[in-house]
């Protein structure tokens, strides 16, 4: 998990967040062992902003990954910045409920939880009658 947190911190450095000045970095580990990272990318048309978590996951999925074992997020100054609701839904598509998620702030405060704790009773592939991936 330390390696994943370091990757999330490095990704946070790449954040393009001139409007909010709230940089976020995310790093996801796939079952292949590879790590994929993302940062938030804001837009002058504010609503088009993409969160770091979704950039990291989209990058991994586009590289052919389908299964993941952990996610680290670097966000916030004091309290760690928690993933937004849209990202939780996006993550629930790919993470089983037991996947650990660690959030770390700039001051090093950490929170660790699972996907199931982050989004209980999630709407997901199974809600549509899809079998396991
Ligand atoms: N942000 C993320 O990157 N991930 C989240 O889960 C919460 C919010 C970004 C979006 C925006 O660029 C900035 O943080 C402030 O909302």
């Amino acid at each position: 998990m330390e390696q994943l947190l370091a990757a999330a911190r490095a990704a946070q450095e790449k954040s393009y967040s001139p409007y909010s000045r709230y940089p976020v970095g995310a790093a996801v580990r796939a079952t292949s062992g590879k790590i994929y990272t993302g940062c938030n990318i804001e837009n002058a048309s504010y609503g088009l902003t993409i969160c770091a978590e979704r950039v990291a996951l989209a990058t991994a999925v586009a590289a052919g990954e389908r299964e993941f074992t952990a996610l680290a997020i670097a966000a916030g100054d004091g309290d760690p910045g928690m993933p937004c609701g849209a990202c939780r839904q996006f993550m629930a598509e790919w993470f089983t409920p037991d996947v650990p998620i660690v959030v770390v702030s700039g001051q090093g405060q950490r929170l660790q939880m699972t996907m199931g704790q982050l989004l209980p009773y999630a709407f997901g592939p199974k809600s549509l009658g899809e079998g396991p991936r």
Side-chain angles (χ1 to χ4, degrees), residues 17 20 22 24 40 42 49-53 82-84 87:
S17 45
S20 72
Y22 187 85
V24 183
N40 54 331
E42 298 187 344
T49 290
I50 313 172
C51 293
E53 297 90 328
M82 296 297 290
C84 78
C87 285

Side-chain angles (χ1 to χ4, degrees), residues 42-133:
E42 298 187 344
N43 192 277
S45 179
Y46 298 166
L48 296 182
T49 290
I50 313 172
C51 293
E53 297 90 328
R54 279 178 279 162
V55 173
L57 258 174
T59 301
V61 172
E65 304 288 0
R66 289 291 184 274
E67 292 177 355
F68 302 93
T69 59
L71 174 76
I73 301 163
D77 278 330
D79 292 334
M82 296 297 290
C84 78
C87 285
R88 294 179 198 207
Q89 180 64 37
F90 199 89
M91 287 152 57
E93 183 78 17
W94 300 104
F95 297 169
T96 51
D98 60 315
V99 167
I101 293 154
V102 180
V103 190
V104 66
S105 76
Q107 292 176 343
Q109 286 167 258
R110 288 187 194 188
L111 274 178
Q112 180 162 347
M113 74 286 316
T114 63
M115 182 68 236
Q117 289 171 321
L118 210 49
L119 188 61
Y121 307 103
F123 180 85
K126 286 183 180 140
S127 313
L128 297 174
E130 302 290 324
R133 289 185 303 271

